[in-house]
Amino acid sequence: MSCEEVEGLIKKIALALVVLFVSGFSVLYYAIRKAVPSSTNMYGADMAAIFLVLSALFFSLMAYTSKA
């Protein structure tokens, strides 16, 4: 295997792990959100969760598509 093939494989594995993390986090957050009574205001937690998911996906895609 050449260095380019190994680098591509590492990038694919890292992207798969990030997607697995984000999907697991989303499922757990949804379960916790359903367990909390709807009368409480969780706007800040919702925004933090959205920010975490979007930033993780953005940075992983940027790392996957980078040439360096």
Side-chain angles (χ1 to χ4, degrees), residues 48-66:
I50 291 170
F51 178 75
L52 176 72
V53 167
L54 291 178
S55 62
L57 288 175
F58 175 74
F59 285 121
S60 65
L61 287 175
M62 292 301 291
Y64 182 73
T65 59
S66 71

Side-chain angles (χ1 to χ4, degrees), residues 23-45:
S23 61
F25 175 79
S26 298
V27 168
L28 286 175
Y29 183 76
Y30 178 74
I32 291 170
R33 186 75 169 104
K34 284 295 185 183
V36 173
S38 60
S39 62
T40 59
N41 186 5
M42 289 191 61
Y43 179 74

